Amino acid sequence: MPPIGQQITFLYVSDLHRSAGFYGGTLGLEMVLDQGDCRIYRVGGDAYLGICERTGDHATSGMLLTLVTDEVDDWHERLVEAGVTVEQAPATNDTYRIRHAFYRDPDGHRVEVQRFDDPDWSGTPG
C-alpha cells in the first residue's frame, strides 16, 4: 500500500471569520484554500488544518490539535498577548519527555503547543 502523502485535520467552528482570525492571524498559518464555508491552512510540510463553519452542536472536547515547535515559551507569550485562553502554561512533562502548553481556540477546541525533548523523536517518517 502506498504511504499517505498529506494530512488534514478538520474542525467544525461556529464563526468562520473569528476562527480564521485565530488560525490565520494569531497562529499565522498560511491559508492554502478557501472553499467558502471551509478554509484549509498549511501547518507544515504536508500537514493541514481545515476549519468549517457549522451550525448546531459540534464536538469540541474529544479533539486535540498539537502544533510541534522548539519555541513553546515564545508561542506562549504570543498567545497570551493575543488574549488566547490559556488552559495550562508551559511545563515540562518528564513522562513523555516534552515541554508543552494548552490553549483553547474561539470554539473551545484544545490546542497544544509542544516541543519534543526525547532524542528518539526525529519528526520524520521512516
Side-chain angles (χ1 to χ4, degrees), residues 7-94:
Q7 180 272 330
I8 302 174
T9 299
F10 281 96
L11 303 177
Y12 295 142
V13 300
S14 60
D15 183 324
L16 184 66
H17 297 289
R18 180 184 67 186
S19 292
F22 178 76
Y23 288 103
T26 303
L27 293 182
L29 301 180
E30 171 197 5
M31 184 173 58
V32 296
L33 185 62
D34 185 343
Q35 299 175 305
D37 66 344
C38 292
R39 293 184 182 169
I40 299 176
Y41 296 87
R42 182 184 317 278
V43 175
D46 286 327
Y48 301 88
L49 171 71
I51 57 173
C52 297
E53 186 170 79
R54 299 292 183 260
T55 57
D57 294 336
H58 43 84
T60 59
S61 61
M63 189 283 315
L64 172 63
L65 172 66
T66 298
L67 304 173
V68 179
T69 178
D70 287 335
E71 308 302 329
V72 172
D73 295 288
D74 292 341
W75 272 101
H76 179 71
E77 288 179 27
R78 177 180 175 171
L79 296 175
V80 166
E81 287 175 12
V84 174
T85 300
V86 177
E87 190 171 281
Q88 176 192 307
T92 299
N93 182 316
D94 292 327

